[in-house]
Amino acid sequence: LPTVVVGVALLALMGFYALQQIAAKEHASAVRAAASVAAAVAATIEAEQDARHDQLGLALADGKARAALQSANAEQVDAVEAELQRRVAGLIQVRLVLPDAIQPDAGGAAPLGYAGVDMVRRTLESGDRSPAEIHQIKSGVPYLALATPLLSADDNRIGVVFGAWDMRFIERLIEGSPAFSGRLRLVQGGADGHVVAHGPGAESGVDGGTVPVSGSIWELAYDVKPADDSGSMLLLGLVGAGAVVLLLVAVLQWRSLARDLHGDMGTLVALAEAILNRSNAPPARARLSGCGAASALLGQYARDAREQKVAPRTAAAAAPAERPSTPVAAPIGGQAAGFEVEELEGDAAGAF
């Protein structure tokens, strides 16, 4: 039984280890697949936002926006803004912002809040186009914000073109991303930031990693479902059930062994008493193999002792009985000589 228990335990441990290795490899494969999907979607988003930057740059190439800013004529600026909104597809609203007129603007289809003001200032200071951001998230009318500096002929910064774009293309890219064993989400503002869009699937609660989206302040985070440990749990359940069965078998065997041992000890005691008393011995049948030799030997001793007790009785019964001596009568008229004469058995003539 101990060998069986050890063997079962070793097999269970080997099986459990193998299942854990398989689950770990499956989880690693799922993480790689999710990272690949996230990288592909991030590259697509980057290409889309670069295309919008380039599209607006082409619309500004005629120099009308530069001239409007340099003139500082509000009506001319408004006219150029309206023309740009008509020419560029997907542009919700565009603003030509002078360096000394950077302030929030709640008017229009895409209000310019403090986040937009900060983006305009950073763009004017750096002289480079801004990273993509999502503005007005809490207002319920979010949009994609992109800012581009406007330079004069001598490369002086004369203002900023702030464009508010329809962001539904980003949501479509995320929602239509390839499915995997987890879920993709676009996050703005780091791990604890705002989730802009979710991919297909259900959240697993296990973070697999993140992929930054170049040219933006976003990250594509992906969840990966935890490794399926149902096989391990099943194996543990089977091992537990087997352990219970083995324990029950061991208990039953121990009880049977105790019963057999008690019976054999009683037989040995009875044989020993038979040897001492030279009486009839009980049948020397041992239940345990270890007691068989002792039972047989004591049984033989008991038989020998019994036979030694019976043999003297038989010899005594077969011996002739001793006849009592008969006194010889004295001659008539005389006196006894003072001694007795025993009558000898056999022929009296042979005695003389």
Side-chain angles (χ1 to χ4, degrees), residues 66-131:
R66 182 186 301 112
L69 286 176
Q70 288 176 334
S71 68
N73 188 310
E75 292 182 358
Q76 186 177 353
V77 169
D78 292 341
V80 172
E81 290 176 350
E83 183 181 355
L84 288 173
Q85 288 175 205
R86 288 193 302 269
R87 291 171 56 188
V88 179
L91 190 60
I92 300 174
Q93 186 173 357
V94 64
R95 287 181 173 87
L96 303 178
V97 184
L98 291 167
D100 56 354
I102 303 175
Q103 58 185 359
D105 180 10
L112 180 66
Y114 289 102
V117 169
D118 183 64
M119 174 183 279
V120 171
R121 286 175 178 168
R122 285 187 281 109
T123 303
L124 194 60
E125 291 173 358
S126 66
D128 295 325
R129 61 189 187 182
S130 68

Side-chain angles (χ1 to χ4, degrees), residues 175-294:
E175 293 171 357
S177 60
F180 56 90
S181 60
R183 193 177 190 185
L184 197 66
R185 64 185 188 275
L186 183 66
V187 182
Q188 177 172 286
D192 298 328
H194 180 78
V195 178
V196 177
H198 287 283
E203 291 186 11
S204 63
V206 180
D207 292 333
T210 59
V211 174
V213 180
S214 299
S216 72
I217 63 170
W218 308 322
E219 289 181 343
L220 274 172
Y222 49 89
D223 298 332
V224 179
K225 291 182 179 179
D228 185 12
D229 58 351
S230 58
S232 301
M233 297 305 295
L234 177 61
L235 178 61
L236 290 177
L238 292 176
V239 171
V244 172
V245 172
L246 288 176
L247 182 60
L248 292 176
V249 171
V251 170
L252 293 176
Q253 286 187 345
W254 288 336
R255 293 185 63 181
S256 176
L257 178 62
R259 184 174 59 252
D260 293 343
L261 184 60
H262 183 270
D264 287 349
M265 290 298 100
T267 300
L268 294 178
V269 170
L271 290 173
E273 291 177 350
I275 294 173
L276 293 176
N277 299 328
R278 296 185 179 185
S279 59
N280 291 329
R285 291 191 299 271
R287 301 178 182 180
L288 299 178
S289 59
C291 297

